[in-house]
Amino acid sequence: MWPRVGFGEEVKRCLWENLDEVVRSIPPIEKLFIGGDFNGHVGETARGYDEVHGGFGFGDRNEGGISLLIFAGGFDLVVANTCFQKSEDYLITFRSKVAKTQIDYLLFSRCDKGLCTDCKVILNEYLSTHHRLLVMDLEIKRARKKKAVYGQSKINWGVLTKDKAQELGEKLLVMGSWRSRRDTNSMWTTTANCIREAARMVLGATKGYSGGHKKDWWWNEKIQRKVKAKKMTYVMLV
């Protein structure tokens, strides 16, 4: 909460200096968003502050608003609730019986301007007496997970038959994985590795392909017919 009208210049200066120190301590790689009641009016138009003021504010600019615009310019910030053309109701953040003003602001880094898709007051929602809820919509894309590595080796379990299973069992007996006498976790790891190694020797291995199932060993005609039938049934139900 910024100091109300009547507080001395020394109090205001200390608050700006403290905010300045906090912002400087934030690493450049971090996303920066600032919001609060700055008790100042940035004005309806940019008028000399085009880089930080979007041109869609409210009311007349005053000294407190100029201080906010100068601060924003010093840190390459943009006042979000001046960037979108709105009717008066969606710009006013403080309303009483005798006054209606815009004194609450949300700021973000200019380099992140593309992330902000909207900023407005939510009508009939109040944070405290006479203050209205101001929100900002951000569109942050999630990083896509990496697909399976092309050419990653896979055991060809699809060729497992009764005879192959018997051969696999004989291989495992020869390898003696169950004769391990170490702790449970070690025995499990040894056994699993032996099964994989024996399976590769008996069944062989194939390569998986990212971007679909066309080259996967299990994507045969029978599976494709089942998947197609399932999709058709789903369409009929919907």
Side-chain angles (χ1 to χ4, degrees):
M1 181 70 71
W2 220 246
R4 296 181 181 276
V5 176
F7 278 76
E9 292 300 318
E10 182 64 21
V11 175
K12 296 179 182 179
R13 185 183 62 80
C14 288
L15 284 170
W16 280 117
E17 288 180 352
N18 290 336
L19 181 58
D20 184 284
E21 185 177 346
V22 170
V23 174
R24 290 184 186 278
S25 67
I26 299 174
I29 60 172
E30 298 290 341
K31 300 293 183 185
L32 177 61
F33 301 97
I34 300 175
D37 171 10
F38 288 89
N39 200 27
H41 307 153
V42 298
E44 183 178 359
T45 60
R47 292 202 333 266
Y49 295 93
D50 301 78
E51 293 185 347
V52 299
H53 191 300
F56 301 108
F58 176 80
D60 298 322
R61 183 174 301 162
N62 64 5
E63 203 171 303
I66 293 174
S67 296
L68 176 59
L69 294 171
I70 292 174
F71 167 80
F75 288 100
D76 289 328
L77 301 174
V78 177
V79 182
N81 38 324
T82 65
C83 293
F84 302 93
Q85 189 170 12
K86 303 286 182 183
S87 64
E88 183 178 285
D89 284 340
Y90 293 97
L91 294 174
I92 296 170
T93 64
F94 180 91
R95 191 170 203 143
S96 67
K97 293 181 179 180
V98 296
K100 52 182 181 180
T101 60
Q102 184 184 54
I103 57 177
D104 303 282
Y105 300 97
L106 291 170
L107 293 80
F108 59 85
S109 298
R110 188 183 305 145
C111 61
D112 293 325
K113 193 171 184 178
L115 301 179
C116 183
T117 59
D118 197 10
C119 185
K120 64 181 180 181
V121 165
I122 302 298
L123 302 181
N124 301 321
E125 292 289 340
Y126 294 86
L127 296 177
S128 62
T129 306
H130 305 312
H131 283 270
R132 305 169 82 180
L133 180 62
L134 177 67
V135 298
M136 175 169 56
D137 294 338
L138 298 171
E139 188 176 275
I140 300 177
K141 296 181 180 179
R142 296 176 60 185
R144 294 184 178 181
K145 294 182 178 180
K146 292 184 178 180
K147 296 182 179 180
V149 179
Y150 177 83
Q152 185 176 0
S153 179
K154 297 180 180 179
I155 297 173
N156 197 354
W157 294 103
V159 300
L160 183 63
T161 62
K162 185 176 181 179
D163 293 338
K164 292 286 186 180
Q166 183 176 350
E167 184 180 353
L168 180 59
E170 293 173 355
K171 285 282 186 183
L172 291 172
L173 288 175
V174 173
M175 297 171 73
S177 60
W178 283 273
R179 290 197 292 269
S180 175
R181 297 182 180 278
R182 294 175 290 175
D183 61 275
T184 305
N185 290 333
S186 298
M187 290 175 64
W188 171 256
T189 301
T190 301
T191 301
N193 289 336
C194 285
I195 293 174
R196 294 191 188 96
E197 184 179 347
R200 289 181 185 278
M201 293 170 61
V202 175
L203 305 177
T206 187
K207 294 182 178 180
Y209 295 82
S210 61
H213 307 296
K214 294 182 178 179
K215 304 259 182 177
D216 288 335
W217 58 266
W218 55 270
W219 189 245
N220 52 44
E221 292 183 4
K222 183 178 180 181
I223 296 295
Q224 293 178 48
R225 287 198 300 271
K226 294 288 185 182
V227 172
K228 185 177 180 179
K230 179 182 177 182
K231 290 181 177 179
M232 291 177 64
T233 303
Y234 176 77
V235 171
M236 292 173 64
L237 288 174
V238 174

